[in-house]
Structure formats: C-alpha cells, structure tokens
C-alpha cells in the first residue's frame, strides 16, 4: 500500500511538472515487469537482427521478381522471395523458417518425412497448443513462461509442416495451397491452438483479477465493471477497482475477435497480392509494369506492415506479455486516471 501511494504521489508530481494527465501504466505498469536484463539484451539483439534483415530484404527485392525458381545453392530467406514471405512475421521468416529448412534438408534423405507427414506435425502442434494453454493458466510465473516456450515451439512446428510439404510434394513455391487437405488441417490446428492459449490467459485472469484504474465511467458501465448495483456505492473517481469476470471475458473476447479477423484478412490479402505480383502475365508490357509495381516503396510497405498486424505477430506479442507477467496489459485492462488534489 505504501508503494502504491508513493507511486500515486509521483504521478501527481509528474503530471504537474509536464502539465498532462498522469498515466498509471507509465508510472507503475511495466515498472514491476519481471524480465531480467539478459532477456532484455537478447530481445534488443533480435530487434537489430530483424531490422538488418529487413533492409537486406528490401535491397534484394529491388533486383528480383516473385517468379524466380528455387535457389540451387541452397535456402536463403532473401532469395527467392514470395508474397507470403514478405508478409510473414519476423520470427517465422528469419528464425523459424531457416531452422526448419536446415532440419528438413538434413533428414530428408532418410525418408522420415514419409512417416512424419505435415498433418502429423500439425496435430502434434495442436497437442502442444493445449499443453501451453494449461501452463499459461497456472499461477506460477515459471510455469507460464514454460507455456510460452512450448507455444513458441508449436509455432515453429507450424512452419515446419509447410516446409515438409514443399519438400515432399515437389512444389517449392512458398504459398498457401488452399485446395489441399493439409491446408484445412493446418488452419484448424492453428485456430484451436490459439483458442487454447486464449482460454489459458482467461482462466489465469479470472483467478487473478487485475486491479484497474478508472476514469469517470458512464452510469450504465459502473455496475458491469464493479458488480455493484447501486450507483452511490461506486466512487466517482477511484483507484484499485478489481475487474469482474464479465469485464475480463469481454476484453478477452474482443481481443480474440481481433486476432481472428486479422488471420482471415491476412490470408485474403496475401492471395490478392499474389494474384497481382506473383502470377505470370501474357505480354512483356504487362510483365514490365508488374515488376515496376513490385519494386516501389509503397508496395513493399503495404505488404511489410502486415508483419506487425498478422495473427502470428499478435500471438507473439501476447507471449511476450505473458513472459513479462503483463498479459493483462496486452488486452487493455488499464485506464488513464484523472487525479484530483
């Protein structure tokens, strides 16, 4: 309690000094984040690595088209490239995919992938998704972090099944084959795994309801937030209000809908860009215009921004929040308060 009062006083002083409303999330939100300096340094190295690879990717894209044959000298995340790779999240493109390609190329001569088929890998990932959901629902931060690592491994398996399919089917183009059975198995396993992770977070927050800070609420929302029927029981301006199960569920449901919408939209946008930029055209003039469009900055950033808005990228953000013990902050369970003297 003393720490909280000191933090509130600090917020008051900060707001007076800079003449703005204090933000409780800034003052004591990430202050108690339990991520050590080694993890922060590792995260910084990853960000720099992703940035360098993005620059190299852009430069490589200026000299190629999206219809190039596979590289005979071996796999490279920079060449050949496809629309799906350009719009894929950084972790999958620059870490998961190269590791999966290396492992598949190493073990492919043994014939193991005639037994370890893409569908078997997808179902294995689904099982790990349920295990991860159970772990992230536990009260122990250590178990929740193990759950994050399990889900990251499941996401790598999601990349691996696609690599195995391309190697065993004789179709090396990096794209979604929507008419195949494996596509529907993969999509269903991805959705169910994401649902398992979401329910794990939901159950954890239900058992450990976050203390939110509220500004003036509309009268009809007060009883829903606090569980109190009488308006006079609710102070107009207050701190330390515990969120109800209904409130947590509504926030989690809204966040889940955003992820599902992102997933469906991302797949359709990839298909649309592929039909424009990755489809052979009939005349040389059309091909020249297609290549010119591909090399523009606008086209690149139109696809590049989806690396941050895809469902996979959002799931990674959720896992970072769980690892940092800040999953409630991810689904916006905090408000900017109005302090009065």
């Amino acid at each position: 309690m003393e720490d909280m009062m000191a933090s509130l006083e600090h917020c008051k002083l900060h707001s007076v000094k800079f003449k703005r409303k204090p933000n409780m999330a800034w003052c004591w939100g990430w202050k108690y984040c339990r991520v050590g300096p080694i993890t922060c340094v590792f995260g910084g190295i990853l960000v720099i690595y992703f940035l360098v690879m993005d620059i190299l990717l852009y430069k490589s894209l200026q000299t190629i088209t999206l219809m190039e044959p596979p590289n005979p000298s071996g796999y490279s995340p920079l060449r050949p490239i496809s629309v799906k790779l350009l719009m894929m999240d950084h972790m999958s493109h620059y870490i998961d995919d190269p590791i999966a390609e290396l492992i598949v190329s190493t073990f492919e001569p043994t014939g193991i992938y005639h037994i370890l088929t893409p569908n078997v890998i997808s179902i294995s990932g689904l099982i790990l998704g349920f295990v991860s959901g159970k772990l992230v629902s536990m009260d122990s931060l250590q178990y929740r972090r193990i759950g994050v690592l399990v889900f990251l491994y499941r996401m790598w398996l999601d990349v691996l099944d696609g690599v195995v399919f391309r190697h065993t089917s004789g179709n090396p183009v990096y794209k979604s084959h929507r008419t195949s059975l494996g596509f529907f198995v993969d999509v269903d396993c991805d959705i169910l795994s994401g649902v398992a992770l979401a329910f794990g977070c939901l159950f954890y927050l239900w058992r450990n309801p976050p203390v939110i800070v509220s500004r003036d609420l509309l009268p009809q929302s007060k009883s829903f937030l606090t569980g109190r029927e009488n308006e006079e029981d609710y102070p107009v301006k207050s701190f330390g209000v515990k969120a109800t199960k209904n409130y947590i569920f509504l926030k989690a449901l809204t966040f889940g809908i955003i992820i599902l919408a992102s997933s469906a939209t991302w797949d359709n946008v990839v298909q649309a860009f592929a039909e424009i930029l990755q489809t052979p055209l009939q005349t040389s003039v059309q091909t020249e215009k297609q290549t010119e469009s591909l090399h523009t900055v606008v086209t690149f950033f139109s696809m590049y921004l989806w690396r941050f808005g895809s469902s996979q990228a959002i799931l990674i953000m959720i896992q970072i929040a769980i690892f940092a013990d800040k999953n409630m902050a991810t689904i916006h369970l905090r408000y900017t308060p109005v302090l009065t003297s």
Side-chain angles (χ1 to χ4, degrees), residues 96-247:
D96 293 346
D97 201 46
I99 294 175
E101 287 282 354
L102 176 62
I103 290 179
V104 172
S105 300
T106 302
F107 291 98
E108 187 176 12
T110 64
I112 189 175
Y113 296 113
H114 294 293
I115 302 175
L116 195 63
T117 63
N119 289 343
V120 171
I121 297 174
S122 297
I123 295 174
S124 301
L126 174 61
I127 296 173
L128 290 178
F130 286 128
V131 172
S132 175
K134 174 61 178 176
L135 290 172
V136 300
S137 69
M138 294 183 175
D139 294 332
S140 171
L141 179 59
Q142 286 72 22
Y143 280 116
R144 295 202 303 276
R145 285 177 171 174
I146 293 174
V148 168
L149 297 178
V150 170
F151 200 87
L152 285 174
Y153 180 64
R154 191 220 73 82
M155 294 181 71
W156 178 77
L157 289 180
D158 183 37
V159 174
L160 179 66
D161 64 16
V163 175
V164 172
F165 173 79
R166 288 190 295 275
H167 278 256
T168 56
S169 65
N171 193 338
V173 180
Y174 205 106
K175 60 182 292 186
S176 297
H177 299 271
R178 296 177 139 194
T179 58
S180 64
L181 175 63
F183 174 80
F184 294 101
V185 172
D186 182 47
V187 169
D188 291 340
C189 289
D190 289 346
I191 293 175
L192 292 175
S193 297
V195 169
L197 181 69
F199 272 103
C201 294
L202 181 63
F203 292 152
Y204 169 76
L205 291 175
W206 272 352
R207 289 199 308 273
N208 303 274
V211 177
I212 64 175
V213 180
S214 63
R215 64 167 71 210
D216 292 346
L217 299 174
L218 295 175
Q220 60 267 27
S221 64
K222 293 177 182 177
S223 60
F224 179 75
L225 173 63
T226 64
R228 300 167 181 166
E229 298 296 335
N230 299 324
E231 182 179 342
E232 58 270 14
D233 292 337
Y234 184 83
V236 176
K237 296 174 181 178
S238 65
F239 299 95
V241 179
K242 276 194 174 183
T244 62
K245 286 188 175 182
N246 288 337
Y247 183 77

Side-chain angles (χ1 to χ4, degrees), residues 248-258:
I248 295 172
F249 179 77
L250 179 63
K251 286 291 185 177
L253 178 63
T254 304
F255 204 75
I257 292 174
I258 292 174

